[in-house]
Amino acid sequence: MSLTRGIAKQILSYLPYRYVNVGKDFYEWLDKLERLKEMSGDQIREAQFNSFMDIVKLAYDETLFYRQRYDEHGFHPSQLKNPSDIQRIPKITKAMVKESGRDILVSKYDPKKLSVGSTSGSTGSSLTIYSNRRVEQREWATTCFLWSTVGYRPGDGRVEFRGYFPGGEEYLKDDYHRVLRINVSRITGSNIRKIWKLIHELGYEFMHGYPSSLSLVSKLVIENNMVNQYEPKAILMASENVYEHQINTINSAFPSAKLHAHYGQSERTIVAGWTGDSQAYSFVPLYGYVELDTHSNELIGTSFINDVMPLIRYELMDIASGIIETSSQPNYLFPTIQSIDGRVGEIMYKPNGDMVSSALIAIAVRGTKFVTACKLIQHQYNEIELLVETFQAEDQVMDELQFVMQRLRTIFTDSMRFMIHIVDHIPREASGKLKTVEVLIGREGHTL
C-alpha cells in the first residue's frame, strides 16, 4: 500500500463505517437477504430458482467454457423449466475450471481489471478465482447477515486471530476495517495480558478466527488464569472443521460468549452458518444452490453472487453428514446440514492400503475435554504419528486418549502402529489454519 493511500485510509477510518468501508452493492444485497425473513418458503424457492436460471443463461451466453460444455452434453438453458431439470446440467470439477483458464470468465469483463484471488491449495492444487468489488461486497454482506444471528452489525470491531505476519509483528491495528489482527504464532503466556489490555482499550466485542487458532488462544487464557478478563459477545469461527474438543476449550475460556461457525469457500459458491443454539449449518438460499451427492455425501454448489466467474454445479470436495429434513432453524435459511465433516482429498490409509476418509477420522476425537488440537501424520502404511495439543498434565490426557486410541484402532485395525506425542503447540499454516491430516507416504519414499 502506498504512503498516500495509507494516510487516506487512516483519515477515513474516523468517518462512519457505512460511508467509507462499504457501498451501494453491500446494502442492496444485505437488504435483499433481510427480506428473506418476510417471505414464505415457496416464495424463496421461486426466487432461488429464478437466480439459478439467470446464472445458467449468463454462463451459456457469455462464456466460451459453458457454451462448449453444455453443447457437448446436449443441454440448453431453455430446458430449465423447474428445479428437477437442474439434474440435466453437467457437473464441473476444480480441474476443469483450472484447465478452462479465462474461458470461464463472463466476456464483458476485462480480466486485467478484475480482482484475483486463489483457493488455499489444500487438495494439492490452487485455483485462480476472479471477482470484482460488487462480488466482494455481496460476500461481505452475506457474512454480516449470518453473523447478525449472534449480534454482529456492520462496522462492529472484531479481534481477528490469524497466522504469522510477514513482518513478524505481534499484532496489527486496522482502524479502517475496525479489526485488530493478532499473530497467533507470536501470542504466548508472556504477552497475552498486554494484548488483552489493548483489546479492552479498543472495546471490540467480537473474536474471529479458525477454530484451531481460537482453541489455542483459549488454552493460553485458561493456563494463565484469565477466564472472564475479556468477555466477547460472540466468537465467530471461520471456515474450518469444528471439533467438540475445540468447542469445550473455547467455552471454558469464554463461558458467556455465543458461538457461531461459518462455512464457505474461496470460490464463493455456497455459504452457511450456525443459527440459534444449533450447531447444524443452515445455508443462505439466495447466495447459492446446494446439492448433496447421494452416493458420496459430497457437496455440490452453484454460486449466484459471482457473475464474473460463474461456478455452476461445482464439486466442492467437502463431505457433509446429510440434509436435515426438519429443523428448528429459521425457515428462510435452507437446507440445513448436520455437519461439514472434511475434504474428499484428505485420505489416509490402513496397513493393507485401504483408504480412510478424514471425515471418519474426525469421529475419533469427539468427546475429548483436554485436547485443544490433534494432528495425524502418516509416515508409512502401518505407521501414524499422533500429535496431541493440550493444556493439561500428560497423565490426565493419556487417560482420555485411551478412548481415542480405541476408536482409531477400530478404524485403522490393530495392525497400525501409533506414535503419540503430547505437545504444547501444533504449528499452524501461515493463514492460522490447522492441517489435521498429513500423509507423507510417497513424499518420504514409502511404498506399499
Side-chain angles (χ1 to χ4, degrees):
M1 182 188 299
S2 67
L3 178 61
T4 302
R5 188 178 179 189
I7 294 173
K9 279 200 167 187
Q10 186 64 34
I11 295 171
L12 290 171
S13 68
Y14 294 102
L15 299 177
Y17 183 85
R18 66 176 296 130
Y19 297 120
V20 293
N21 297 75
V22 292
K24 178 182 176 182
D25 292 311
F26 173 90
Y27 284 104
E28 283 184 350
W29 195 258
L30 185 60
D31 183 61
K32 181 177 181 178
L33 296 179
E34 288 290 345
R35 289 200 300 270
L36 286 172
K37 298 175 183 178
E38 303 170 0
M39 298 168 65
S40 67
D42 288 341
Q43 288 174 325
I44 298 173
R45 285 179 173 83
E46 181 181 1
Q48 184 185 52
F49 186 60
N50 287 338
S51 295
F52 199 109
M53 289 192 294
D54 288 344
I55 199 69
V56 170
K57 186 177 186 304
L58 173 71
Y60 185 82
D61 292 343
E62 300 291 340
T63 77
L64 181 61
F65 171 76
Y66 283 105
R67 177 178 287 273
Q68 289 180 342
R69 181 157 177 77
Y70 290 174
D71 285 349
E72 288 172 1
H73 285 76
F75 171 76
H76 190 273
S78 62
Q79 295 173 318
L80 273 179
K81 304 296 185 183
N82 57 65
S84 64
D85 294 326
I86 290 173
Q87 300 301 313
R88 294 171 176 261
I89 303 173
K91 291 181 282 190
I92 62 173
T93 65
K94 182 176 181 177
M96 291 176 187
V97 175
K98 189 170 184 178
E99 186 178 350
S100 73
R102 293 179 177 179
D103 287 346
I104 199 170
L105 300 182
V106 171
S107 58
K108 69 178 180 179
Y109 294 108
D110 180 355
K112 296 178 182 178
K113 296 181 180 179
L114 295 174
S115 302
V116 180
S118 66
T119 59
S120 64
S122 59
T123 57
S125 177
S126 63
L127 176 68
T128 300
I129 304 295
Y130 292 88
S131 66
N132 58 15
R133 178 175 168 79
R134 179 171 60 184
V135 174
E136 290 157 3
Q137 292 280 289
R138 289 173 175 177
E139 172 76 18
W140 178 229
T142 307
T143 300
C144 290
F145 176 69
L146 285 171
W147 285 355
S148 69
T149 61
V150 289
Y152 183 88
R153 299 169 301 174
D156 280 347
R158 66 185 191 277
V159 184
E160 188 176 87
F161 294 89
R162 301 185 54 165
Y164 65 82
F165 303 144
E169 299 90 347
E170 292 180 352
Y171 61 85
L172 292 173
K173 288 174 59 181
D174 183 349
D175 296 328
Y176 180 76
H177 291 102
R178 279 57 165 179
V179 178
L180 173 65
R181 295 188 172 92
I182 307 295
N183 185 341
V184 175
S185 67
R186 291 289 306 279
I187 190 170
T188 64
S190 61
N191 66 5
I192 189 171
R193 294 183 187 279
K194 178 181 71 174
I195 291 172
W196 250 228
K197 181 181 178 182
L198 176 59
I199 294 171
H200 278 290
E201 291 173 355
L202 291 171
Y204 292 168
E205 297 181 304
F206 295 88
M207 289 174 60
H208 180 217
Y210 292 119
S212 57
S213 292
L214 292 167
S215 63
L216 176 62
V217 172
S218 299
K219 169 178 173 284
L220 285 171
V221 168
I222 296 168
E223 286 179 339
N224 289 275
N225 299 314
M226 295 174 62
V227 177
N228 296 322
Q229 290 190 21
Y230 169 51
E231 299 182 28
K233 282 185 179 178
I235 295 175
L236 311 168
M237 296 182 286
S239 296
E240 187 182 65
N241 284 357
V242 183
Y243 300 109
E244 187 176 350
H245 60 81
Q246 295 171 334
I247 296 172
N248 291 336
T249 304
I250 294 169
N251 279 333
S252 296
F254 306 101
S256 64
K258 296 179 180 178
L259 299 187
H260 180 278
H262 179 97
Y263 170 71
Q265 325 81 37
S266 301
E267 295 96 322
R268 297 182 173 124
T269 310
I270 51 178
V271 71
W274 292 358
T275 55
D277 296 326
S278 172
Q279 292 179 5
Y281 290 86
S282 292
F283 289 79
V284 181
L286 294 189
Y287 181 100
Y289 184 78
V290 182
E291 300 175 72
L292 190 65
D293 187 287
T294 55
H295 299 292
S296 66
N297 275 4
E298 181 181 355
L299 287 167
I300 301 164
T302 297
S303 174
F304 299 153
I305 74 162
N306 195 342
D307 52 9
V308 172
M309 180 180 172
L311 292 174
I312 301 169
R313 301 205 75 203
Y314 175 70
E315 295 181 351
L316 287 164
M317 300 182 70
D318 284 333
I319 300 172
S321 63
I323 294 178
I324 302 172
E325 296 299 332
T326 58
S327 171
S328 60
Q329 305 310 303
N331 61 9
Y332 57 87
L333 297 178
F334 58 80
T336 296
I337 287 179
Q338 185 62 46
S339 65
I340 313 296
D341 297 318
R343 302 283 292 177
V344 173
E346 294 175 345
I347 300 296
M348 299 191 80
Y349 299 90
K350 296 180 182 180
N352 66 357
D354 289 347
M355 293 185 293
V356 178
S357 168
S358 63
L360 187 60
I361 297 166
I363 297 171
V365 294
R366 287 181 181 171
T368 55
K369 295 180 180 180
F370 301 141
V371 177
T372 55
C374 187
K375 181 173 182 175
L376 282 77
I377 305 172
Q378 187 161 22
H379 297 274
Q380 300 185 57
Y381 281 92
N382 66 342
E383 181 183 288
I384 291 177
E385 182 180 6
L386 178 63
L387 301 181
V388 179
E389 180 184 278
T390 182
F391 56 90
Q392 294 288 352
E394 184 171 333
D395 56 344
Q396 289 181 296
V397 180
M398 291 305 296
D399 288 341
E400 191 172 64
L401 284 180
Q402 291 181 13
F403 300 102
V404 174
M405 295 310 301
Q406 289 175 9
R407 296 173 191 153
L408 287 174
R409 289 194 175 95
T410 300
I411 295 169
F412 288 99
T413 76
D414 290 334
S415 298
M416 181 65 75
R417 183 169 68 251
F418 290 96
M419 301 176 293
I420 303 174
H421 299 290
I422 309 298
V423 298
D424 292 330
H425 173 62
I426 299 175
R428 272 58 169 175
E429 296 180 335
S431 62
K433 218 170 191 177
L434 173 66
K435 190 174 183 180
T436 57
V437 169
E438 188 172 4
V439 178
L440 300 180
I441 298 171
R443 282 193 281 162
E444 294 183 336
H446 298 298
T447 58
L448 179 61

